[in-house]
Amino acid sequence: MTDYAHPEILTDPEWLKAHLRDPNVVVVDCDELPAYQRLHIEGAVTLRTHHYLKSVGDSASGPGIGMHVLPPDKFADEMGKIGISNDTTVVTYDSFGGLYAARLWWGLDYYGHPNCKVLNGGFRSWFLAGGATSFDRPKITPAKFEVRAVRNETCATKDDVQAAIDRGDTVIWDVRAPGEYTGEDQRTNKRGGHIPGAVNMEWLDLTAAPVRSGLLLPADEMRAKLEALGVTPDKHVITHCQAGIRAAQAYFILRLLGYPSAANYDASWSEWGNVDDTPIVK
């Protein structure tokens, strides 16, 4: 992983095997509860809240899922419940291509907790590497987690995106599927299509086979794909999708590769496609 600019935010099964029983490491299974109950990394905890880490409310992302990340006090409370303190090294993983693992990583990063790693390849890579697994929930000692910083520069708003349209120093990277980008797949939104000027490359295009393996391509391959798209390190990059989850994974990749200026449009199309004052191209 030395080809990445920030390899410290990514880890692999061998590192995790060596640190699995470290009392200062908390491994978080970010899948939905039924998947966690079927099988998980030995000692891993599960989130006590929805894995989108969104505020309560309704949006185009589904009933009960709000558009914006949990507020600081609620986020801190949820982290403390699963044993994460400000001194904890967190390792996140899932079985869904890295989406939910990257979402928790992004939430921790947004709220000023820098010591978090995503397991490359998720549960599949751990299982194939012969890592210890379990059906049992570990006993959790609650911890105190404080939000010590809110890194607003990593979270774009609708106003930020509107201001970025047609700006030469900014690129909007739409990481949704091609059908969502063209508007052919409108999902449950009032309007389909894409943000004017946005470029489209689905997040899956930067991961290795099989689909949703969560295993990232080599750094040089990802850089080449991004730069061919116009997503270059000299620009401010805003990532978006439907609900800021796929976009969080894309933001994670940009950070991993050393892009100096990027933000995740957290509300994404669940906001943009369901209000009347946003420009849309089909």
Side-chain angles (χ1 to χ4, degrees):
M1 293 189 290
T2 55
D3 289 338
Y4 298 116
H6 291 289
E8 71 278 2
I9 65 173
L10 190 69
T11 193
D12 56 31
E14 294 312 309
W15 184 93
L16 186 53
K17 285 179 183 179
H19 294 84
L20 190 61
R21 290 169 179 79
D22 186 329
N24 198 45
V25 172
V26 171
V27 182
V28 184
D29 184 310
C30 299
D31 282 324
E32 295 184 80
L33 183 59
Y36 174 81
Q37 292 173 323
R38 283 193 293 272
L39 195 65
H40 54 264
I41 293 176
E42 186 176 86
V45 300
T46 182
L47 291 170
R48 301 293 181 90
T49 188
H50 193 279
H51 53 196
Y52 281 13
L53 299 168
K54 294 274 190 174
S55 55
V56 175
D58 291 329
S59 77
S61 301
I65 303 171
M67 285 190 289
H68 304 286
V69 66
L70 290 168
D73 57 343
K74 180 64 174 173
F75 185 89
D77 181 59
E78 294 296 340
M79 296 303 102
K81 285 179 181 176
I82 57 175
I84 295 174
S85 74
N86 294 93
D87 298 321
T88 301
T89 296
V90 182
V91 177
T92 69
Y93 78 91
D94 62 42
S95 300
F96 207 69
L99 291 184
Y100 308 139
R103 178 66 183 181
L104 177 54
W105 175 89
W106 179 82
L108 287 164
D109 183 71
Y110 176 63
Y111 282 129
H113 187 77
N115 200 5
C116 181
K117 304 173 185 289
V118 172
L119 178 61
N120 195 16
F123 183 74
R124 182 177 185 272
S125 69
W126 178 258
F127 188 81
L128 292 176
T133 58
S134 176
F135 302 101
D136 301 324
R137 287 195 183 195
K139 182 179 179 180
I140 297 174
T141 302
K144 183 173 180 56
F145 183 92
E146 296 180 355
V147 172
R148 295 178 176 173
V150 180
R151 302 184 64 241
N152 288 315
E153 71 276 12
T154 71
C155 184
T157 65
K158 177 164 69 75
D159 289 343
D160 293 331
V161 176
Q162 286 180 314
I165 295 173
D166 295 328
R167 284 189 56 172
D169 62 351
T170 302
V171 58
I172 301 169
W173 175 19
D174 185 332
V175 306
R176 298 176 300 164
E180 293 174 86
Y181 178 79
T182 62
E184 181 181 358
D185 180 5
Q186 193 167 314
R187 297 185 64 164
T188 59
N189 302 295
K190 287 173 60 178
R191 299 187 293 160
H194 61 268
I195 298 168
V199 297
N200 177 232
M201 179 169 62
E202 191 173 5
W203 68 281
L204 288 167
D205 288 351
L206 297 180
T207 60
V211 173
R212 296 190 185 277
S213 70
L215 191 65
L216 299 179
L217 294 176
D220 57 346
E221 290 186 35
M222 291 199 290
R223 288 192 184 99
K225 283 175 173 281
L226 287 167
E227 292 184 11
L229 190 68
V231 179
T232 52
D234 61 310
K235 295 180 180 178
H236 177 59
V237 185
I238 298 175
T239 65
H240 92 86
C241 57
Q242 171 68 25
I245 312 306
R246 289 172 285 180
Q249 191 266 0
Y251 174 87
F252 171 81
I253 286 174
L254 294 173
R255 177 73 73 79
L256 184 66
L257 294 177
Y259 276 60
S261 181
N264 170 20
Y265 176 23
D266 187 35
S268 278
W269 204 263
S270 62
E271 178 178 59
W272 194 273
N274 291 285
V275 295
D276 299 322
D277 63 344
T278 51
I280 289 176
V281 175
K282 286 192 175 182

